[in-house]
Amino acid sequence: MPWYFWLLAAAGLGAAEFFTLTLVFGLFAGAALVTAVVAGVGVGLLGQLVALGVTAAAGLVLVRPVVLRHLAQTPLTREGSDALIGKAAEVMQEVTGTRGLIKLSGEEWSARALDESQVIPVGALVDVMEIQGATAVVYPRELLP
């Protein structure tokens, strides 16, 4: 078969991968691309089919499990307000179960105590337990008097 047939097949399989995101069509597209190179060199139809089969099998057996494992892992870095969870902050205005103000990463944030019955005084160090909208939910680092 002519090399441009395999190139056309690779493009079609690549488009199918774009819409399905299964990684199967993408690996077959790569195999078709390798087969286009083999056909371009002048290898016959049997050699092209062997190249297609070996490349597709290698992709499915070797590459796909590794890629799927990496995609399933959680990212190592947190972004946005999620990155603030677990950080220390200083209380700027008394923090209660409903309101307060803290200095977190150089910025002032509205805050409320995790334990609604707790009152955290000015100057106390707190840990950010979660972020709810623009409010940090905090818990004191040390026991309060």
Side-chain angles (χ1 to χ4, degrees):
M1 280 188 192
W3 62 270
Y4 54 84
F5 170 78
W6 293 111
L7 199 58
L8 186 62
L13 289 165
E17 176 63 33
F18 179 77
F19 290 111
T20 62
L21 299 176
T22 60
L23 197 60
V24 174
F25 289 117
L27 292 172
F28 285 146
L33 197 59
V34 168
T35 307
V37 171
V38 169
V41 171
V43 177
L45 180 61
L46 182 60
Q48 293 173 24
L49 293 176
V50 168
L52 179 70
V54 169
T55 309
L60 289 174
V61 172
L62 300 175
V63 176
R64 189 169 188 264
V66 173
V67 172
L68 290 177
R69 193 171 332 129
H70 283 286
L71 287 174
Q73 291 178 350
T74 58
L76 297 176
T77 57
R78 293 186 291 182
E79 299 174 343
S81 61
D82 286 340
L84 300 173
I85 296 173
K87 294 229 177 192
E90 182 182 354
V91 176
M92 305 297 288
Q93 186 181 63
E94 184 177 79
V95 176
T96 65
T98 57
R99 63 179 177 81
L101 192 65
I102 61 171
K103 186 162 199 151
L104 174 62
S105 295
E107 299 177 341
E108 290 185 353
W109 277 73
S110 60
R112 71 172 182 81
L114 181 64
D115 181 0
E116 294 182 6
S117 64
Q118 202 168 38
V119 176
I120 307 170
V122 174
L125 292 177
V126 293
D127 287 323
V128 177
M129 306 307 283
E130 63 181 293
I131 302 289
Q132 293 180 344
T135 302
V137 179
V138 298
Y139 192 79
R141 284 193 146 195
E142 300 174 0
L143 293 175
L144 297 175

